[in-house]
Amino acid sequence: MEAALLSGFIKTILPKLFSLVQEKYKLHKVLKGDIKFLEKELRMIAVTIDDQILLGREDHGALLSLSMEELRELAHQIEDCIDRFLYHVTREQQASLFRRTITSPKTLRSRQRLAAEVQLLRKIPEEAHQREKRYRVFAGLSSSRQAESSYCSSGSDPHTPKADLVGIDGPRDELVQHVDQLTVDVREHLDKKRYFIVIDDMQTDQWSSIEAAFPEDNVVSSRVMVTTTIQSVANACSSSNGYVHRTKRLGDKDSEQLFVRKACPKKYLGYMQPESKEVLKKCDGQPLALVSMGQFLRKKGWPTGPNCEDVCRNLSHHLEQDETLERMRRVLLHSFSSLPGHGPKACLLYFGMFPCDHPIRRKRLMRRWLAEGFVETQPSSTENFNTLIDRNIIEPIGMCNNDQVKTCKTYGMMREFILLMSTSQDFITLFAGNKVEHKYVRRLSLHHNIATSGSCSSLDINLSLVRSLIVFGEAGKAILSFQKYQLLRVLDLEQCTDLEDEHLKDICNLLLLKYLSFGETVASIPKDIEKLKLLETLDLRRTKVKILPIEVLLLPCLLHLFGEFQLSDKVKITSEVQKFFLTEQSSLETLAGFVTDGCQGFPKIISHMKNLRKLKIWIERSEKNTNFTDLVNAIQKFIHDDKEESNDPRSLSLHFDACTENILSSLKAPSYLRSLKLKGKLLELPQFVISMRGLRELCLSSTKLTAGLLAALSVLKDLQHLKLIADELEDFIIEDKAFPGLLHLCFVLEGATLPTIEEGALPYLISLKLICKDLDGLAGMKINHLKCLKEVILDHRVTSETRETWEKAAKEHPNRPKLLLFNPVDESESVPGDSSLASTTAEREAMETFPTPDGALQEDNIQILVKQISSAAPEKLNNSEPISKDELNSSFNNMGFSEGKLGLTELSIVQNGKVSSYTH
């Protein structure tokens, strides 16, 4: 695991090392040779580590002459050397011609310093190799012989090309034939029988390979149930009429009961119970965590041993060292080590930068991954995030209008494991308890007023190597002394409470910054921000910045700009500015957003932003200007649908007042958008929306939504996600074949009027959200017609009678959709103007209702059944022997199920690759 992280890190710095030999840096030939030597050495180290991982070896150091710690330190020193040189080169490039002439000796010194550092770095692997050769004599060559023996005994080389393999076609075909035959045998065995088969803990999508073994079930209603921790595997295994059930965590009451039962000996039943609040928070309703922590507390001698708070305070240490927590440690380690490659592992460890239970915005997180270099492209960042969600390693909290994850967090014990891994590998450093364990810090996170100016000033840490800094609460003078930082790439000060405008001057000298965000203590941005030529993301949404300097828009690498600002009336569009935009040098993809009254400034500039994909505009009418021609032209150009019919993810959000709605009527077809949000007075649906191509997401917010507007919406064939926000909704009938492609429909209403749904309407609707606290019963809405419905979400403030009415309707629906209650998400991660639907997972899960027929066997009970049978007859399961009828009936009876209630003729349990069957 440690080796995989190191190998991935080495691979991320190889391109940077290779870039130094480019001609633009004008390095001496000898220095280039040393750099190429280091590049080859690192590449060989990474390949060797990967080979040993494939072969299952742990003694990588024996083959590489360097320990994992030495290799990690070497890689870090190389990265530091590269970044220091790039920092000085960038500073030299920004200097004026006069200053470059004056400081040319410094330029020479930076290259000399680089040459000296590279020479020292080159000696590290050379000296280690000589040291290994010197001491090999005393070891009698035993290590090399053992390595050779281990390598030879491991079988064929996994890197052997398929074309070089000979003599395997016959044996391979024979094995394959014995397996497509096994499928036939199982199929014949199950034919015309009613069966219930449990396949436990499927970790990869194997269903497509084994599905053919089960006969088509048209008469006897057989069932196959698969348990898995991976959502995509569950989806793949679910048939067209299948059911995916998410096992819920224990509630507070059940969690406390399980923990106390394991922690307290029976002789202390009458004694006061342990103060379990902190432990329950750490365990987060996970049964394995509760059992493990209870057993640990009992072993420590409760009630005379350490209390729960003391245990939780040192939980990372206990998780690493104590044998009682070994099982839980193995489960967490498996979740981590099974992640594919370095990228997802590094992305997961980065969650340790955020406080416990802190909701984290998905897009904010992914932009920071990009700035850190964990991933190279936006699609890769999205893929890694989805992998972590799919494997249930992190959990979603809030959802966007299009049902994408908006905010997320890590849960209980997984967070403790992340902290253990990330700090032990020097991946991050947490400032906790006024103590920092490492002198050299690469990623620093300060949480909630732990760092004070008095304690920070005496810290013996080197801030010059910090790559990422995030502050929650007060930072202190020492931490906010930005002259100490040189190599910073990510600076997140959104929730820093003691940042002042005077600090921004030094921040503008952090030339390697790629991600920068400020909070409410910042009111203005200096023009010196033009120095940040590598900046990719600037987030000002939480600030008080109202006027944006034009220099921000001239940053060549800027991709994402967030806030609510306008350009100064006094800004001059100089020839330099005109050249920048006319030659299409702007890289800006997201501008969300700017305030305009139609005057010159943003409307004229955005027409030349060829890469723009997301645009947000607040339109205000002013007395000095009533002409919005430039603004209409700019929006028209942004939404224009060219002849090539591109499918880029273009998104537009317009906020307007009652005096500017005629701007919408001025926009014409042909137009294209993926997502559109309109907030203002809407009496009818604009014509450009009706004729728009490719519109998948639409959000309309108005005081009143008319029947005519709703009728116009119902014919949009590409629309998949619709959110309607209004004080009043006119009576409306959703007719047959209306909304032919809609998947998610959300109403956020003050009044309790809902539309009537005719049979045949909304044929593919999956999710129905009704956010209205005054909702009275079903309000005339019938959901039986919605054949694909999977969930209904209600306002958490509805009456218990209304909730019970919807529970009954869901239970009577053929799909038995989930009933969820919506509660607004924690505002600590929300941003101004955010109108997405978001709710806390804790609230959602605690109030989920899964309507099921009486007597149905639930997945929770199946898990208990598997465990009970395993404990009742483990030797039979291990030897694939059939379990007796009495043993099986005993397990069923312990659960409260009778044999006749199940109505099965055969039960097969597949566990650890072996099958145990019961037939009667």
Side-chain angles (χ1 to χ4, degrees):
M1 178 177 57
E2 180 182 357
L5 276 174
L6 177 58
S7 173
F9 175 63
I10 290 175
K11 291 172 185 174
T12 61
I13 66 174
L14 279 172
K16 297 173 65 175
L17 190 60
F18 178 74
S19 68
L20 290 184
V21 300
Q22 296 178 8
E23 289 300 323
K24 67 177 181 178
Y25 294 122
K26 300 178 181 179
L27 301 182
H28 192 274
K29 184 165 65 173
V30 175
L31 177 54
K32 287 183 179 180
D34 289 339
I35 291 174
K36 289 180 179 179
F37 170 84
L38 279 178
E39 181 197 358
K40 292 178 181 178
E41 194 77 6
L42 285 178
R43 197 179 300 278
M44 184 61 67
I45 289 172
V47 170
T48 304
I49 291 175
D50 290 344
D51 286 345
Q52 301 311 301
I53 291 173
L54 287 174
L55 295 173
R57 288 178 56 92
E58 295 296 332
D59 55 336
H60 314 286
L63 290 176
L64 297 171
S65 308
L66 287 166
S67 67
M68 286 294 109
E69 185 176 352
E70 289 173 321
L71 287 172
R72 183 171 62 245
E73 185 176 353
L74 172 62
H76 282 166
Q77 288 177 351
I78 291 176
E79 185 188 37
D80 295 340
C81 175
I82 296 170
D83 286 350
R84 271 195 297 265
F85 176 72
L86 293 178
Y87 173 83
H88 289 295
V89 168
T90 304
R91 188 172 64 176
E92 293 161 6
Q93 290 174 345
Q94 293 192 17
S96 64
L97 177 60
F98 174 76
R99 286 182 58 194
R100 283 200 295 267
T101 303
I102 297 297
T103 59
S104 57
K106 293 183 179 180
T107 303
L108 180 60
R109 283 201 297 271
S110 66
R111 283 159 175 77
Q112 291 174 340
R113 184 164 50 244
L114 175 66
E117 290 181 4
V118 170
Q119 277 287 332
L120 290 175
L121 292 172
R122 175 170 180 161
K123 289 180 181 180
I124 294 176
E126 291 177 338
E127 290 175 353
H129 179 64
Q130 293 299 323
R131 184 169 59 248
E132 193 269 342
K133 286 175 61 178
R134 189 162 56 247
Y135 288 104
R136 188 188 303 173
V137 176
F138 299 101
L141 300 178
S142 59
S143 61
S144 60
R145 289 173 183 170
Q146 290 173 0
E148 181 180 357
S149 173
S150 174
Y151 189 88
C152 294
S153 65
S154 65
S156 61
D157 183 357
H159 296 291
T160 302
K162 184 178 179 181
D164 292 344
L165 298 176
V166 295
I168 66 166
D169 294 347
R172 181 195 60 203
D173 294 342
E174 184 179 356
L175 286 173
V176 171
Q177 186 175 2
H178 280 301
V179 176
D180 292 346
Q181 186 59 41
L182 182 59
T183 300
V184 173
D185 292 343
V186 173
R187 190 179 182 89
E188 291 177 353
H189 177 69
L190 297 177
D191 191 35
K192 298 181 181 178
K193 293 180 182 178
R194 191 176 189 206
Y195 55 84
F196 182 70
I197 297 177
V198 179
I199 304 175
D200 187 41
D201 198 24
M202 185 180 288
Q203 292 297 305
T204 58
D205 180 13
Q206 300 162 336
W207 181 250
S208 57
S209 301
I210 65 176
E211 183 180 13
F214 305 107
E216 294 184 8
D217 183 31
N218 297 323
V219 180
V220 294
S221 298
S222 296
R223 290 290 183 268
V224 178
M225 192 181 79
V226 176
T227 68
T228 180
T229 58
I230 303 177
Q231 183 65 43
S232 59
V233 172
N235 295 338
C237 295
S238 178
S239 59
S240 57
N241 61 342
Y243 179 64
V244 177
H245 172 77
R246 291 182 63 91
T247 303
K248 294 180 287 184
R249 297 173 189 166
L250 297 180
D252 292 342
K253 184 177 180 180
D254 291 332
S255 295
E256 185 173 16
Q257 181 181 356
L258 178 59
F259 170 71
V260 171
R261 183 190 303 168
K262 295 297 181 181
C264 304
K266 290 183 179 179
K267 62 182 179 180
Y268 289 106
L269 288 178
Y271 191 73
M272 68 177 70
Q273 294 184 351
E275 181 59 44
S276 58
K277 181 179 178 181
E278 290 299 319
V279 170
L280 298 183
K281 183 178 180 181
K282 294 288 186 183
C283 294
D284 210 6
Q286 300 284 349
L288 176 59
L290 290 162
V291 170
S292 299
M293 290 297 292
Q295 292 172 343
F296 176 80
L297 200 66
R298 174 179 288 201
K299 188 187 80 169
K300 292 296 182 182
W302 189 90
T304 59
N307 59 38
C308 293
E309 290 186 358
D310 292 337
V311 170
C312 291
R313 194 175 296 116
N314 299 304
L315 186 53
S316 294
H317 171 75
H318 300 315
L319 188 60
E320 182 180 23
Q321 302 290 339
D322 198 276
E323 60 183 11
T324 310
L325 306 178
E326 172 64 24
R327 184 185 174 199
M328 183 168 63
R329 182 165 59 246
R330 286 202 310 268
V331 171
L332 295 170
L333 185 59
H334 173 73
S335 297
F336 180 78
S337 59
S338 62
L339 289 171
H342 168 262
K345 293 183 176 72
C347 292
L348 177 60
L349 293 185
Y350 201 75
F351 276 86
M353 295 285 286
F354 299 89
C356 180
D357 291 329
H358 183 81
I360 305 165
R361 296 199 304 270
R362 172 179 62 95
K363 291 184 178 179
R364 172 195 188 190
L365 183 68
M366 294 194 300
R367 283 189 283 267
R368 290 172 58 156
W369 288 346
L370 282 164
E372 286 275 6
F374 301 153
V375 292
E376 295 183 358
T377 63
Q378 181 64 38
S380 298
S381 186
T382 302
E383 182 181 355
N384 284 338
F385 183 86
N386 291 340
T387 295
L388 299 177
I389 288 287
D390 184 45
R391 292 172 178 255
N392 291 290
I393 295 176
I394 60 174
E395 60 178 342
I397 303 177
M399 309 299 291
C400 296
N401 299 330
N402 61 1
D403 210 40
Q404 292 290 314
V405 175
K406 183 177 182 64
T407 55
C408 63
K409 71 170 186 176
T410 54
Y411 62 86
M413 286 300 167
M414 177 54 74
R415 170 171 171 77
E416 292 298 322
F417 177 78
I418 289 172
L419 291 179
L420 171 63
M421 284 296 302
S422 56
T423 53
S424 65
Q425 302 296 313
D426 293 343
F427 189 82
I428 69 171
T429 301
L430 293 182
F431 198 143
N434 295 333
K435 179 181 180 182
V436 176
E437 296 182 358
H438 307 289
K439 181 176 181 180
Y440 298 100
V441 177
R442 308 187 75 78
R443 297 178 184 90
L444 181 61
S445 181
L446 284 75
H447 294 179
H448 300 302
N449 299 317
I450 291 176
T452 61
S453 57
S455 62
C456 280
S457 59
S458 59
L459 285 178
D460 183 22
I461 57 175
N462 186 350
L463 296 176
S464 67
L465 301 179
V466 174
R467 298 322 202 275
S468 184
L469 173 63
I470 181 171
V471 178
F472 297 90
E474 185 178 350
K477 292 181 179 179
I479 293 297
L480 295 181
S481 179
F482 291 103
Q483 305 96 323
K484 302 175 183 178
Y485 304 84
Q486 285 188 351
L487 310 184
L488 208 59
R489 300 178 193 141
V490 174
L491 181 57
D492 186 340
L493 301 173
E494 281 190 28
Q495 298 184 47
C496 177
T497 58
D498 56 341
L499 181 73
E500 299 177 0
D501 284 346
E502 63 185 37
H503 292 119
L504 271 59
K505 181 179 180 181
D506 291 329
I507 290 177
C508 290
N509 289 320
L510 302 175
L511 304 182
L512 301 186
L513 266 185
K514 291 189 174 183
Y515 181 100
L516 178 60
S517 63
F518 295 125
E520 60 184 10
T521 61
V522 173
S524 63
I525 301 297
K527 294 183 178 181
D528 280 352
I529 198 170
E530 65 182 355
K531 298 178 184 178
L532 304 182
K533 301 296 185 183
L534 301 181
L535 192 64
E536 296 175 353
T537 298
L538 178 60
D539 195 334
L540 305 175
R541 281 176 287 190
R542 290 178 178 269
T543 70
K544 298 176 182 177
V545 174
K546 298 301 180 184
I547 302 297
L548 188 76
I550 189 68
E551 286 77 9
V552 171
L553 299 178
L554 301 180
L555 294 173
C557 295
L558 190 64
L559 299 174
H560 309 287
L561 176 59
F562 301 98
E564 186 176 347
F565 36 70
Q566 56 187 349
L567 290 178
S568 171
D569 293 339
K570 300 178 181 179
V571 66
K572 295 181 179 179
I573 307 299
T574 63
S575 58
E576 180 183 358
V577 174
Q578 290 179 346
K579 181 180 178 182
F580 180 85
F581 288 107
L582 290 176
T583 55
E584 301 180 6
Q585 297 180 46
S586 174
S587 301
L588 205 60
E589 297 178 1
T590 303
L591 177 54
F594 68 88
V595 181
T596 182
D597 58 2
C599 293
Q600 65 172 358
F602 276 113
K604 289 187 176 180
I605 290 175
I606 61 175
S607 299
H608 302 289
M609 297 179 180
K610 300 300 181 182
N611 297 310
L612 203 58
R613 293 295 176 265
K614 182 175 182 178
L615 180 61
K616 187 173 186 177
I617 307 174
W618 287 267
I619 306 173
E620 297 178 351
R621 182 178 292 273
S622 65
E623 296 180 357
K624 60 183 178 181
N625 183 59
T626 58
N627 185 356
F628 288 91
T629 301
D630 289 341
L631 179 60
V632 170
N633 291 338
I635 298 174
Q636 186 71 63
K637 191 169 184 178
F638 178 73
I639 67 173
H640 178 69
D641 189 17
D642 54 34
K643 296 181 179 179
E644 298 178 359
E645 292 196 350
S646 62
N647 289 300
D648 56 81
R650 243 179 290 171
S651 169
L652 175 64
S653 178
L654 295 178
H655 297 240
F656 51 91
D657 56 33
C659 300
T660 57
E661 69 271 11
N662 60 339
I663 292 177
L664 300 181
S665 61
S666 303
L667 300 173
K668 308 296 181 184
S671 59
Y672 164 82
L673 284 174
R674 181 80 60 86
S675 173
L676 175 63
K677 294 181 182 178
L678 299 177
K679 184 176 182 180
K681 186 177 179 181
L682 285 167
L683 300 178
E684 59 182 7
L685 193 66
Q687 186 60 41
F688 84 97
V689 179
I690 297 175
S691 59
M692 183 172 289
R693 181 182 68 84
L695 186 62
R696 298 183 189 177
E697 305 168 24
L698 179 61
C699 177
L700 302 179
S701 180
S702 180
T703 53
K704 181 179 181 179
L705 293 175
T706 64
L709 183 149
L710 298 173
L713 285 176
S714 65
V715 299
L716 299 180
K717 58 183 178 59
D718 293 330
L719 196 61
Q720 295 179 339
H721 313 278
L722 176 61
K723 183 177 182 180
L724 300 173
I725 306 172
D727 295 336
E728 180 185 355
L729 189 70
E730 284 190 355
D731 291 336
F732 176 66
I733 298 176
I734 303 180
E735 300 177 345
D736 179 25
K737 299 180 181 180
F739 297 102
L742 202 64
L743 302 177
H744 298 87
L745 176 59
C746 175
F747 293 97
V748 182
L749 305 172
E750 288 295 323
T753 303
L754 291 176
T756 302
I757 303 176
E758 290 188 349
E759 186 170 5
L762 300 164
Y764 299 107
L765 191 72
I766 295 174
S767 175
L768 177 63
K769 302 179 180 72
L770 306 173
I771 313 304
C772 176
K773 63 181 177 62
D774 298 323
L775 187 65
D776 184 15
L778 299 181
M781 180 171 284
K782 297 179 181 180
I783 61 173
N784 278 344
H785 303 319
L786 307 176
K787 304 301 182 184
C788 296
L789 191 65
K790 293 184 179 180
E791 68 174 19
V792 176
I793 300 178
L794 304 179
D795 194 308
H796 76 287
R797 298 169 294 180
V798 298
T799 63
S800 57
E801 293 80 9
T802 294
R803 180 188 172 186
E804 290 171 1
T805 302
W806 278 96
E807 286 178 354
K808 184 175 184 295
K811 187 174 182 179
E812 294 172 351
H813 193 283
N815 293 350
R816 307 188 306 277
K818 296 181 291 185
L819 183 63
L820 310 174
L821 295 186
F822 164 78
N823 196 23
V825 72
D826 182 2
E827 295 298 323
S828 63
E829 270 292 293
S830 64
V831 291
D834 182 12
S835 62
S836 66
L837 181 66
S839 62
T840 61
T841 300
E843 290 286 345
R844 291 163 62 98
E845 288 190 350
M847 301 180 180
E848 277 187 14
T849 300
F850 294 93
T852 52
D854 292 337
L857 189 63
Q858 295 298 293
E859 183 187 66
D860 293 347
N861 294 326
I862 287 295
Q863 293 282 17
I864 297 172
L865 175 64
V866 172
K867 293 176 182 176
Q868 288 191 354
I869 293 175
S870 300
S871 60
E875 70 285 348
K876 293 191 174 183
L877 275 182
N878 292 336
N879 297 323
S880 299
E881 297 178 21
I883 297 172
S884 70
K885 181 176 180 178
D886 291 339
E887 291 168 331
L888 189 65
N889 280 339
S890 176
S891 296
F892 276 111
N893 290 335
N894 289 337
M895 296 167 55
F897 285 96
S898 64
E899 182 180 331
K901 202 169 186 179
L902 289 171
L904 302 174
T905 58
E906 179 169 0
L907 173 66
S908 297
I909 296 180
V910 183
Q911 195 169 33
N912 298 327
K914 298 178 181 180
V915 182
S916 184
S917 300
Y918 160 59
T919 308
H920 67 86

